[in-house]
Amino acid sequence: MNLLYNAAELKEYLNSIRMKNTIGFVPTMGALHNGHLSLIKIAKEYASNVGVSIFVNPTQFLPNEDYHQYPRTLDFDLELLRTIACDWVFIPSVQEMYPREMDLKIDIGYLGTIYEGAFRPYHFQGVATIVLKLFNLIQPDVVVFGKKDAQQCAVIRRLTKALFLDLKILYGEVIRDPSGLAISSRNRYLTEIEKERAIGLYVALQKGRAVYLDCQDTKIAQMEMINTVKTFQPTSIDYFAIVDRFTFLYPKNIQDAIAIGAIRLGTTRLIDAVDIS
Ligand code: AMP
């Protein structure tokens, strides 16, 4: 497995293999788990050479968020990546990705201001900016993102289309633990009691899915999701909604509708999403 610590090393390596390979890429912030591994496995089905970036991106965190506390488990991550024969890992420094006096941000429009964007202003600006930098550096043929971060998927889709990027985007299903809780790097922050309560996020989304399939009324489904999650006593509820997966506006059809939600347990914020059909 090739460990690449800066853009020059990355480019040199990729140039040496590009002629004979299709390149698959999975961006991550490390603290890897089975959710990440599932995306790498998908990439391997579509590309002959697959790599991962591990970069805790400072521009997608608000000043009061957990950037400094975000779990950093590089040795463990590299071991895990070796077990699935990942070809390369890009592990840049902040200075490498954001050279001083080269300030530039990608504004993703209204999509960056609603739901997650309303609770995390500028988050998607940070996501779009780092992802575009990575795409330009790597020029992958295939990239894979997880459906758990449904709005991130919509942002990346929009970015790719609007900027005429020539790559294929694949979306991996949400990997869950047996209770239904979506696996997340942030789950390690949860106490045992909070873990029990966190299950309510998925239970509520499933309830919303069933209600929406039944009546196709977004308001009723939203109310049912909120009533359901309340019984699990989260610290607070940020939002629940049924939206179109592409626009995050009112769903145009049932095939593209998804249920999304975000709750807090103590200081930990969790998000999740399920497909309606
Ligand atoms: P992160 O390291 O949290 O930035 O996530 C990197 C990628 O892994 C993103 O595309 C996430 O949507 C995806 N991901 C995170 N958790 C899961 C999960 N439980 N199942 C599938 N994909 C996931």
Side-chain angles (χ1 to χ4, degrees), residues 206-217:
Q206 284 295 1
K207 177 77 180 179
R209 175 178 177 271
V211 170
Y212 188 71
L213 275 174
D214 198 36
C215 70
Q216 278 159 56
D217 185 319

Side-chain angles (χ1 to χ4, degrees), residues 25-40:
F25 172 50
V26 179
T28 83
M29 297 204 299
L32 300 182
H33 50 64
N34 283 337
H36 297 114
L37 296 191
S38 72
L39 305 186
I40 297 165

Side-chain angles (χ1 to χ4, degrees), residues 91-260:
I91 318 161
S93 66
V94 173
Q95 172 62 20
E96 183 75 15
M97 297 312 291
Y98 295 103
R100 235 170 271 151
E101 291 156 18
M102 287 215 197
D103 195 19
L104 174 143
K105 290 192 177 69
I106 304 295
D107 188 337
I108 204 76
Y110 84 91
L111 192 54
T113 66
I114 54 178
Y115 299 109
E116 278 303 284
F119 286 90
R120 306 183 72 189
Y122 305 111
H123 167 71
F124 287 120
Q125 221 177 52
V127 169
T129 304
I130 192 64
V131 165
L132 184 58
K133 282 172 185 257
L134 291 167
F135 285 0
N136 282 335
L137 269 175
I138 294 161
Q139 296 178 26
D141 298 289
V142 178
V143 295
V144 193
F145 288 85
K147 286 188 184 179
K148 177 170 86 72
D149 298 282
Q151 199 171 352
Q152 174 167 280
C153 291
V155 164
I156 305 302
R157 197 183 287 120
R158 186 159 292 219
L159 177 79
T160 307
K161 265 200 140 178
L163 296 177
F164 305 105
L165 301 186
D166 191 14
L167 49 80
K168 184 176 178 61
I169 313 178
L170 301 170
Y171 304 97
E173 296 303 326
V174 185
I175 304 300
R176 304 178 178 282
D177 77 13
S179 72
L181 176 64
I183 301 176
S184 161
S185 306
R186 289 188 168 101
N187 288 355
R188 71 190 69 200
Y189 300 146
L190 300 173
T191 63
E192 282 310 310
I193 291 172
E194 286 171 344
K195 257 187 203 151
E196 296 277 308
R197 294 180 171 176
I199 296 165
L201 178 53
Y202 180 61
V203 175
L205 292 173
Q206 284 295 1
K207 177 77 180 179
R209 175 178 177 271
V211 170
Y212 188 71
L213 275 174
D214 198 36
C215 70
Q216 278 159 56
D217 185 319
T218 55
K219 284 274 168 263
I220 294 174
Q222 182 186 43
M223 206 176 62
E224 290 287 343
M225 288 193 279
I226 290 172
N227 287 340
T228 303
V229 80
K230 274 184 181 164
T231 65
F232 286 80
Q233 300 178 299
T235 308
S236 60
I237 301 167
D238 281 358
Y239 62 80
F240 277 87
I242 308 283
V243 297
D244 176 87
R245 77 172 76 240
F246 302 107
T247 61
F248 270 62
L249 302 174
Y250 194 84
K252 284 189 287 291
N253 58 58
I254 212 151
Q255 291 76 32
D256 293 322
I258 54 174
I260 56 169

